[in-house]
Amino acid sequence: MTSSPAPMPGLTARDYKSEVKPVWCPGCGDYSVLLAITKALAELKLPPEKVSVISGIGCSSRMPAYMNSYGFHGVHGRAVALATGLKLSRPDLTVLVTGGDGDGFSIGGNHFLHACRRNVDLTYIVMDNRVYGMTKGQPSPTTEPDWDSALSPGGTGLRPFNPLVIALASGANFIARGFSGDSNGTARLIVEAIKTPGFSFVEILSPCITFRQDQRGWKKIVRPAPVDPTEDIGRAARRLMTDDGFNLGILYVGGREPYRLQLEGGEREPAELESQFVV
Amino acid sequence: MGAKADQTNSLSIALTGSGGAGVITAGNMLLEAAAKAGCYGLFARSSGPQIRGGEAAAMVRLANEPVVAPGDVFDILIAIDWHNIDRFAVELPLSTVSLVIADPSQGAVPEVIAARGARIAELPLRDLAKTVAKGRPNMIALGAVAGLIGLPGEVADDVMARTLKKRGDEALAASRDAFALGVEAAGAMSFDGPDLWTRAATRERWIINGNEAAGLGAVRGGVRFVAAYPITPATDLLEWMALNLQRLGGALVQAEDELASINMIIGASYGGTPALTATSGPGLALMSESLGLAVAAEVPVVVVDVMRGGPSTGIPTKSEQSDLNIALFGLHGDAPHLVLAPTSISDCVFTTQWAVSLAETLQSPAIVLSDQLLGQTRAIVDRPADIAFVSQRVTAEAATVEDFRRYGLAAGGISAMAIPGSPGRQYTADGLEHDESGLPSSRAGDHVSQLDKRAAKLDGFDYGNHWAEIEGDGRLAVVAWGSSTGAVREALARLGSRGHEFRLVSPRLLSPPPPARWAEALEGVERALVVELNHSAQFYRYLKGYCDPPCPVDVYHRPGPLPLRAGELVAEIEKWSRS
Ligand SMILES: Cc1ncc(C[n+]2csc(CCOP(=O)(O)OP(=O)(O)O)c2C)c(N)n1
Ligand code: SF4
Ligand SMILES: [Mg+2]
C-alpha cells in the first residue's frame, strides 16, 4: 500500500537525481538503473521528500546518495531489515531498497526470505551482476559455477541461487526482471512494482563491465518474456524454474495483503498502564 | 523477634518441587498476599534447564522495608518433593536456624539438605491433599507457610480468589480447604520469626519485575516501536511491550534475527519514531556491527541487554554481569556510545527512561545493562517517581534556511536531524565516513572532524546528578553497578548499624566515562572496593583504565550464577577494610 501523497506536477527524472557524481566505472550498468528509478519516480510524480531509498554495501548500494530523495546507506546485507522498520512505522512513505546480489542473497539472504514472507509494502531492486563488484571480483550466489577468479580458481563448482524462484516460494507479491540496458522498460517495471501493494522484487541484470566483461553480451541475449504476467502461483513457479534467467518483464503478481502494524486505536497514555502494577 | 540479627528482620521462604507441583504459583500468591498485608519483598524463581517440568524453586523474601537483595539463608524451606534437589541445593542456603518442612511420603530428607543442620519438621502434604476434593499439596504448603509467619488470613483468601478466578468455584473451594489444612498443621510446629504485619506500609506500592520496569521506562520515555528476536531472559520484557505498546498506538515486530531487529529499529528511528530492542548477550554480540552504524549515522536507538551467564549460550536462565566489556568495547572503530545500568529493580524504570531520552537528545545508541536477577525478580516496591525525561530530538523540520547539513559541526556536536517527509531536507544517512552534508568522504579532515563531533556530543553533555547514586560519606567507598548494588547496599546498611561508615557509589552512566564525576564521587576517599558478578573483574578494570579514580581501588568479584548475598559481602568488605 502506497498511500500516495498528492502527485507533484511537472517533476522530471532529473528532479530525483542529486548533484553527486557516482563512483561507478564508466559503462557500469548501475548508471542506467539510477536513470530508470528516477524515471519511474517522475512517472509516479512522488514528492522526493516522501521517498526513501535504503541500501546496504556494494557498488549498487551506493544508489541513495545519487538521488534527491531521503536515503540510508547502511551496513552490508541489512538494508531490507532497516527499510522494514522504516516502512512499518511510517506507512506514508514510499520506501525503495536498492542493492546487489551479494548484499541481498548472500550476507542478507535471511532477510530476503523473511521480507518476502512478511510482505511489507517495499520495492526491492537488486542489480544482479553475478559478482561482488565492490570487493573487486569474487563469486556471488548467482555466479556461474565455472567462473574463474582469484578467490575461487577454476570456479566455485556451485549451482547458482535462483532469486526469483526463492522470492516466489517465500511469498513475494510481485516478481519482475529487467535489464539495465533498457532503462525505459525497467522504469515501467519499477512503476508497477511501487504501485503493487506488498513486497515487490525486481531483479535487474546490470552488467559489471570491469569484472564481468562477458556480461557485455547480455544485451544480445535478453528478451521480453514471451508470456504475460500471471497471478497463478503454480504457473509462475513452472515459468521461473524453467526460465534461463534472461526473460524480462513482470513474471508474477499476487494478491496478498501486505503486512502492516496496527498503529491506530491505541490512544492511551503510559500513565494509564500503571494500574497493572499497583498492589 | 527472629533468631537472626544478621538479617535485618526479614523472612526468607523457599518452596521447592518438580515442575507442575505449583511452587511458582504458590510463591506468587505469597508475594501478592504479603504485599496486600503491607509488606515489601522479592520473589525470585529458579528453574532447571528443562523447557517445561523439571525442578523449580520459588524464593521469597519479605520485610517491612524495601528488600534489595536475596537473604543469606532461608528461614523456611518447604519441599513438596525432592526432585533433582542435588542440582540446585546450592541455591538454597540453610543454617541451623532454618526450618525445613518435608513430606515423609517423598522419602528421607536428602543428604545435601540434612547436612546443613536445619531443624526438620514433617508435614504429609500429599496425604492431607487427598482429604480434600481436588486438593493440591502446593496450597497446603502455602497454608503452612502462612500459618508459620502469621500472614493475615483475609489477604491470603483475597489473593487466592483473584488468582484462581479463572479456574472456577470448585478449584477455589479446593484451594481454600487445602490452605486451611496447611494453616492448621502449622499450628503444631514451632517457628519464631519477626512480626511483619503490625507495621504495615500504607504508601502506594507496586509489584513489578525489572523487565516490566524497563518496558514502562521505555514507553514513558517515548518508545513506540520495538523489533526483537526472543531470547531468555529478555523475552518477558518483549512480551510486556507487545501488549502494552498496542495500548499506546505503538507496536512490536518479531524480527527474523538480531541483525534484523537492530536494523529495523534503526530504520524506525531514522523515520522519527523512538525505538528500542531487548536481548541478551548472544543477541548483543550479533548487533555489534549495526550499533556502529547507529553511531556513525547518528541514529538514536536503545538496546536493553538482560544479561545472563556467558560466554556463548552460557547459562541462559541465570544472572551474571559479564557483558560489560562487549557493551563498552564491542564496536569496531572509534565508536563512542552510551552504556547505562539500572541500580535496582524499580530503577529499571528510571534508567531506561533516561536512556531513551539521552539516546534521542544525543542521537546515539544507548545500551542498558540489566540482568536476569533484576529482570525476572518480582519486587514489592514504592511507586517509582514520575520523571520528566521524554525524547527530545533536535529535528530539522522544513526548509527555512538553505544549505542543510545533517552532520554539520554545530557547537556541542549535536546537529539537527531531518525526518523523512520534511521537504527540502533530504539527505542520506550514512555509515560510510562522510562530510558535514552526509556525502561519503575519506578525506582525513572529515574523518577527524566527524570523530570529534561524535565524541564531543557525548563527552560535553551535562548528565547531572543522575549519573550515579552516591550514599554516605565514609573514607572507604564501595563501588557497585547494576544488580550488585542491592546486595552491597544491604551489606553497608548492616555494617552501618555496627558503626562502620562506608560510601556507596553506584554509577548509572557507565559510558562515556566521566573522570571528573568519579573524582567528585570519591573525593576524600582513601580506598575503594569494586563489587561485581563476573569472572574477570570487568568494571574494576574499566574504572581503573578509563575513569581515573583518585584513590587506590580493589575488587571483590566472582562469576554467577549464584547471586551476591549481603552476608557474603559483609564478610568480604570487613576483611578488605581491615587489610
Ligand atoms: C560485514 C561485511 N563483510 C564484507 C564486506 C565487504 N564487502 C563490501 S561490498 C561486498 C560485496 C558486494 O557485492 P554486491 O552486493 O553484489 O554488490 P556490487 O558491488 O556487485 O554491486 C563485500 C563482500 C563488508 N562491507 N561488510
Ligand atoms: S566494479 Fe563493476 S559493478 Fe562496480 S562500478 Fe565497476 S562496473 Fe559497476
Ligand atoms: Mg554484485
Side-chain angles (χ1 to χ4, degrees), chain B residues 434-514:
Chain B
H434 39 258
D435 65 13
E436 289 184 69
S437 57
L439 297 177
S441 165
S442 52
R443 280 189 296 269
D446 286 327
H447 187 44
V448 173
S449 57
Q450 290 295 319
L451 284 171
D452 284 347
K453 169 190 195 293
R454 296 190 291 256
K457 69 180 179 178
L458 296 191
D459 291 339
F461 187 75
D462 179 7
Y463 298 91
N465 290 332
H466 306 304
W467 86 275
E469 285 184 3
I470 302 169
E471 291 157 19
D473 48 17
R475 303 183 76 82
L476 295 176
V478 181
V479 176
W481 66 280
S483 67
S484 302
T485 308
V488 167
R489 192 173 261 142
E490 181 173 337
L492 296 187
R494 286 196 218 167
L495 287 162
S497 66
R498 294 190 220 157
H500 304 293
E501 217 192 329
F502 290 89
R503 188 177 304 182
L504 168 70
V505 183
S506 178
R508 264 193 202 95
L509 178 74
L510 308 184
S511 188

Side-chain angles (χ1 to χ4, degrees), chain B residues 318-369:
Chain B
K318 314 254 162 157
S319 212
E320 198 165 74
Q321 295 184 289
S322 48
D323 292 349
L324 177 67
N325 280 348
I326 188 177
L328 291 170
F329 305 118
L331 310 191
H332 62 280
D334 289 312
H337 60 282
L338 297 157
V339 180
L340 298 97
T343 62
S344 67
I345 291 169
S346 68
D347 188 64
C348 289
V349 180
F350 182 98
T351 296
T352 311
Q353 185 174 352
W354 193 39
V356 175
S357 126
L358 289 177
E360 292 285 322
T361 305
L362 297 170
Q363 299 175 21
S364 162
I367 300 171
V368 178
L369 291 176

Side-chain angles (χ1 to χ4, degrees), chain A residues 59-60 99-103 127-134 140 142 206 208:
Chain A
C59 299
S60 42
D101 41 316
D103 189 76
M127 286 151 263
D128 192 348
N129 52 14
R130 304 184 180 175
V131 73
Y132 288 1
M134 175 141 276
S140 86
T142 50
S206 180
C208 170

Side-chain angles (χ1 to χ4, degrees), chain A residues 20 48-49 64 68-73 78 81-82 85-86 90 110-111 118 266-268 274 276-279, chain B residues 205-207 220 240 244 246-249 256-257 263-264 270-271 383 420-422 425-427 429-431:
Chain A
V20 182
E49 72 272 12
N68 182 35
S69 58
Y70 279 89
F72 204 131
H73 184 213
R78 317 292 165 216
L82 198 148
L86 176 61
R90 288 291 306 275
N110 194 33
H111 308 308
R118 202 175 272 120
E267 258 104 54
R268 285 197 245 173
E274 295 177 4
Q276 63 189 293
F277 302 120
V278 176
V279 168
Chain B
R205 284 157 308 127
W206 288 8
I207 295 185
R220 277 185 174 181
W240 189 88
N244 287 281
Q246 278 177 9
R247 298 171 168 158
L248 304 173
E256 54 272 29
D257 55 31
N263 278 281
M264 285 181 184
Y270 162 78
R383 179 189 189 281
S422 316
R425 292 304 197 200
Q426 295 96 301
Y427 76 100
D430 210 323

Side-chain angles (χ1 to χ4, degrees), chain B residues 30 67 171 234 267 281 330 341 376 428-429 441 497:
Chain B
L30 176 60
V67 181
Q376 295 192 317
T428 294
S441 165
S497 66

